């Protein structure tokens, strides 16, 4: 009985090797279960749970997974959209190379570090964009922003210049909208590190995220993908900064020597290197240069028109070829011998166009600015005799070059009006053509339409009452 019991107990005694394998299997299963749980919960961070760093089995992994929780939290999120909307955009430089200005409407997305330009709004869904479409991206680190009204005839224009030499113009007709964009972009630029630390910051971030081998590969890839002009501009900036101080000193010394040796304006004029311009110069200066009271060019044009243009339909109203007029202007300014009977000036409308351009480009019109309001008040007088007397008194007060040139011109225009039945140019038509050219205020105001009416009426009155206004005192 004892033997059977002993044998039974012996048979029930566990096998050490078998039990060890079973325990190891259970531990392995538990560990694998624990690994799956840790993998499924690895993306969840809890404040109450201490995050344990994973045990790396390979040395090469130590450099790839050494970011701490503090690093992750302190790294700024550059994908958060701060502002977006439509603006007019024009790219005027690419890597320092000037481009032709071409305005287009773009959907602009501003983040804390960069701006992206889309052809259409990306609000509905990114899936609406074409496959492979990449928006134009502008890195704001080290960028410069400023208002540039001189870069465009449009209003509310500012420019963004990047470190890579790219230049963009942004514009909107809505004042508060463009102002809001300007301040938003400026604030984003101000928050970023300055130009000197942008490159080092990017390199430092890459070093923290990747191994040395991967870093070299990525830098090599970026250098291959970067545009040649960008590399050239970078090399130029590095070379320039290295010898910046020496170059500036040399340039300053050379400029000082050049300015001290520079000849005077009078010397250049005496040598004929600088010539007084006829177009765009003050009337009294032109007359002083020619030792006369009426510019020679004005007399030549009047003579040519009276010779072959009195009966031309629409004389002074019809425009001549602008390119030929500019050519005539260049010849006159170069003081070359002018022969208006030459075949290249056979179109009389070119001659009349050049004469109107001469008066239009005077820095101060034929009727001086200080007389403008007085002539307007005189033309408002209701009584005709009193109105004529007031205009005549003002004309007599004009400077001698203005008075003599005005008298010659209005005498010529009176001959044009006398042929009204043929050339269809009445005193009223001539007043419309010459009013704004000869008479204008120094500063344009909101009364432009009213002023234009008075300008036309003054010229018309002086043509119709020429003999009384320019006659002797006894008239």
């Amino acid at each position: 009985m004892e033997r059977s019991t002993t044998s039974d107990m012996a048979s029930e005694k566990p096998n050490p090797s078998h039990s060890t394998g079973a325990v190891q299997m259970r531990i392995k299963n538990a560990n694998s279960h624990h690994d799956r749980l840790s993998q499924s919960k690895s993306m969840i961070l809890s404040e109450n749970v201490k995050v344990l760093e994973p045990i790396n089995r390979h040395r090469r992994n130590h450099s790839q997974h050494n970011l701490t929780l503090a690093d992750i939290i302190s790294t700024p999120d550059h994908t958060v959209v701060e502002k977006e909307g439509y603006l007019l955009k024009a790219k005027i430089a690419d890597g320092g190379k000037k481009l032709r200005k071409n305005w287009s409407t773009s959907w602009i997305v501003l983040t804390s570090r960069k701006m992206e330009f889309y052809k259409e709004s990306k609000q509905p869904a990114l899936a609406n964009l074409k496959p492979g479409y990449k928006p134009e991206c502008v890195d704001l680190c080290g960028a410069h922003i400023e208002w540039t009204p001189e870069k465009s005839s449009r209003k509310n224009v500012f420019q963004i210049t990047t470190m890579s030499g790219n230049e963009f113009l942004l514009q909107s007709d809505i004042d508060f909208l463009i102002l809001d964009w300007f301040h938003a972009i400026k604030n984003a630029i101000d928050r970023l590190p300055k130009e000197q630390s942008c490159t080092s910051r990017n390199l430092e971030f890459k070093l923290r995220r990747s191994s040395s081998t991967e870093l070299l590969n990525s830098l090599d890839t970026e250098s291959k993908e970067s545009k040649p002009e960008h590399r050239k501009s970078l090399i130029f900036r590095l070379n320039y900064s290295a010898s910046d101080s020496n170059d500036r000193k040399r340039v300053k010394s050379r400029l000082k020597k050049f300015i001290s040796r520079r000849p005077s304006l009078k010397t250049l004029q005496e040598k004929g290197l600088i010539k007084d311009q006829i177009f765009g110069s003050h009337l009294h200066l032109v007359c002083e240069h020619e030792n006369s009271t009426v510019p020679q060019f004005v007399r030549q044009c009047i003579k040519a028109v009276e010779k072959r243009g009195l009966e031309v339909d629409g004389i002074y109203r019809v425009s001549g070829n602008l390119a030929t007029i500019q050519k005539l202007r260049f010849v006159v300014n170069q003081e070359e011998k002018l022969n208006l009977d030459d075949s290249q000036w056979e179109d009389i409308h070119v001659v009349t166009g050049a004469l109107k351009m001469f008066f239009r480009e005077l820095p101060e019109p034929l009727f001086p600015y200080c007389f403008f309001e007085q002539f307007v008040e005189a033309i408002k007088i209701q009584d005709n005799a009193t109105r004529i007397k007031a205009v005549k008194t003002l004309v007599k007060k004009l400077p001698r070059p203005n008075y003599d040139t005005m008298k010659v011109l209005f005498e010529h225009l009176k001959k044009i009006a006398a042929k009204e039945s043929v050339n269809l140019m009445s005193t009223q038509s001539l007043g419309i053509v010459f009013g704004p050219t000869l008479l204008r205020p120094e500063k344009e105001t909101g009364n432009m339409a009213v002023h234009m009416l008075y300008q036309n009426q003054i010229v018309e009155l002086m043509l119709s009452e020429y003999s009384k206004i320019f006659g002797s005192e006894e008239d």
Side-chain angles (χ1 to χ4, degrees):
M1 190 70 179
E2 290 178 358
R3 288 180 182 177
S4 62
T5 305
T6 304
S7 62
D8 291 341
M9 292 178 64
S11 63
E12 290 179 1
K13 185 177 181 180
N15 189 354
S17 61
H18 181 268
S19 62
T20 303
V23 170
Q24 288 179 350
M25 183 66 68
R26 286 195 295 272
I27 294 174
K28 185 176 181 181
N29 292 337
N31 288 340
S32 63
H33 179 66
H34 175 71
D35 289 342
R36 286 195 298 271
L37 289 176
S38 63
Q39 290 175 4
S40 63
K41 298 180 181 180
S42 61
M43 300 302 293
I44 302 174
L45 297 177
S46 175
E47 297 179 356
N48 300 325
V49 179
K50 182 177 179 181
V51 179
L52 297 177
E53 294 186 2
I55 299 174
N56 298 318
R57 296 183 176 86
H58 302 281
R59 288 186 178 181
R60 62 183 180 87
N61 290 335
H62 283 281
S63 61
Q64 298 177 1
H65 304 283
N66 60 352
L67 276 178
T68 63
L69 181 60
D71 291 333
I72 298 173
I73 296 174
S74 62
T75 304
D77 187 3
H78 299 303
T79 61
V80 176
V81 176
E82 295 189 0
K83 190 172 180 61
E84 58 184 352
Y86 282 110
L87 286 180
L88 279 176
K89 181 209 75 171
K91 188 174 184 179
I92 59 174
D94 185 5
K97 182 181 179 181
K98 296 297 180 183
L99 302 177
R100 185 175 180 181
K101 182 167 56 182
N102 186 19
W103 291 101
S104 62
T105 303
S106 295
W107 177 264
I108 302 177
V109 178
L110 172 66
T111 64
S112 60
R113 186 185 177 89
K114 64 182 180 179
M115 292 177 64
E116 294 179 343
F117 299 117
Y118 295 84
K119 293 181 180 179
E120 297 177 358
S121 170
K122 56 170 281 201
Q123 275 185 327
L126 288 173
N128 294 336
L129 299 175
K130 295 180 180 179
Y133 173 78
K134 291 184 178 180
E136 190 170 13
C137 189
V138 177
D139 188 359
L140 297 179
C141 186
H144 177 67
I145 182 172
E146 60 180 340
W147 293 102
T148 52
E150 73 281 356
K151 292 290 182 75
S152 174
S153 58
R154 300 171 181 265
K155 69 172 187 176
N156 302 334
V157 177
F158 65 82
Q159 176 178 325
I160 299 175
T161 306
T162 66
M163 285 183 62
S164 60
N166 295 342
E167 296 177 9
F168 298 87
L169 296 180
L170 298 178
Q171 187 269 342
S172 174
D173 290 333
I174 305 173
D175 296 341
F176 73 88
L177 178 63
I178 196 68
L179 192 62
D180 191 28
W181 269 103
F182 180 86
H183 288 303
I185 299 172
K186 189 176 186 305
N187 291 336
I189 294 174
D190 292 342
R191 288 195 301 267
L192 292 171
K194 299 302 179 184
E195 180 177 345
Q196 292 82 358
S197 59
C198 282
T199 307
S200 60
R201 186 179 179 89
N202 292 338
L203 184 60
E204 180 187 355
F205 184 74
K206 287 182 178 180
L207 284 169
R208 290 164 60 189
R209 291 295 302 271
S210 61
S211 64
S212 57
T213 305
E214 290 177 340
L215 176 62
L216 290 173
N217 292 335
S218 65
L219 289 176
D220 184 54
T221 305
E222 288 178 5
S223 63
K224 290 179 181 178
E225 292 179 353
S226 61
K227 294 183 178 180
E229 57 268 21
H230 289 181
R231 291 201 299 272
K232 290 179 181 178
S233 63
L234 179 60
I235 294 171
F236 172 78
R237 287 201 305 275
L238 290 173
N239 293 336
Y240 181 78
S241 61
S243 60
D244 187 22
S245 58
N246 295 331
D247 289 345
R248 286 185 178 181
K249 289 179 181 178
R250 283 198 295 268
V251 170
K252 283 183 179 179
S253 62
R254 288 181 181 180
L255 282 175
K256 287 179 180 179
K257 290 179 181 179
F258 173 75
I259 292 172
S260 62
R261 297 174 183 175
R262 185 181 61 177
S264 63
L265 178 62
K266 186 177 181 181
T267 305
L268 293 174
Q269 289 175 341
E270 289 174 355
K271 291 182 178 181
L273 298 175
I274 295 181
K275 299 179 180 179
D276 292 328
Q277 302 287 304
I278 303 300
F279 282 78
S281 296
H282 286 274
L283 182 63
H284 70 277
L285 294 178
V286 176
C287 293
E288 285 176 9
H289 178 69
E290 298 178 353
N291 195 22
S292 66
T293 56
V294 180
Q296 185 65 27
F297 175 69
V298 174
R299 292 188 182 274
Q300 287 179 292
C301 289
I302 289 175
K303 183 180 178 181
V305 174
E306 291 181 355
K307 180 179 179 180
R308 50 191 173 97
L310 286 178
E311 297 183 355
V312 174
D313 184 10
I315 190 71
Y316 284 112
R317 178 174 51 81
V318 178
S319 301
N321 182 271
L322 183 58
T324 312
I325 293 173
Q326 291 289 0
K327 185 178 179 181
L328 176 57
R329 178 181 186 270
F330 176 79
V331 171
V332 174
N333 277 338
Q334 293 300 311
E335 294 185 359
E336 298 179 9
K337 275 193 172 183
L338 180 62
N339 180 17
L340 292 178
D341 292 329
D342 192 281
S343 59
Q344 60 181 332
W345 321 123
E346 62 180 356
D347 183 5
I348 197 62
H349 296 302
V350 170
V351 179
T352 57
L355 181 60
K356 289 187 292 183
M357 180 180 286
F358 171 80
F359 285 111
R360 190 164 56 247
E361 291 189 359
L362 286 174
E364 189 167 15
L366 190 60
F367 290 75
Y369 289 130
C370 58
F371 284 87
F372 178 78
E373 293 296 337
Q374 299 178 57
F375 274 101
V376 170
E377 293 301 323
I379 202 67
K380 290 180 180 179
I381 299 174
Q382 297 297 322
D383 182 64
N384 189 49
T386 308
R387 181 166 62 243
I388 295 172
K389 186 177 179 180
V391 171
K392 180 177 180 178
T393 303
L394 291 172
V395 169
K396 293 291 185 182
K397 292 180 180 179
L398 293 174
R400 185 63 185 273
N402 297 67
Y403 176 84
D404 289 351
T405 304
M406 191 181 296
K407 184 177 181 180
V408 170
L409 177 63
F410 276 89
E411 183 181 6
H412 165 66
L413 295 179
K414 194 171 181 296
K415 294 178 183 178
I416 299 289
K419 297 283 186 178
E420 177 188 353
S421 59
V422 182
N423 58 33
L424 304 179
M425 291 299 292
S426 61
T427 55
Q428 184 178 6
S429 300
L430 291 170
I432 294 172
V433 172
F434 279 93
T437 302
L438 304 178
L439 185 72
R440 61 181 183 270
E442 185 172 7
K443 293 182 180 179
E444 295 291 349
T445 60
N447 301 325
M448 289 181 61
V450 178
H451 285 165
M452 189 174 294
L453 178 63
Y454 292 141
Q455 290 162 348
N456 302 347
Q457 289 178 355
I458 291 168
V459 173
E460 185 179 350
L461 176 70
M462 294 179 67
L463 283 174
S464 58
E465 304 294 342
Y466 173 83
S467 57
K468 294 180 181 180
I469 293 175
F470 291 97
S472 61
E473 294 291 340
E474 289 80 14
D475 291 345

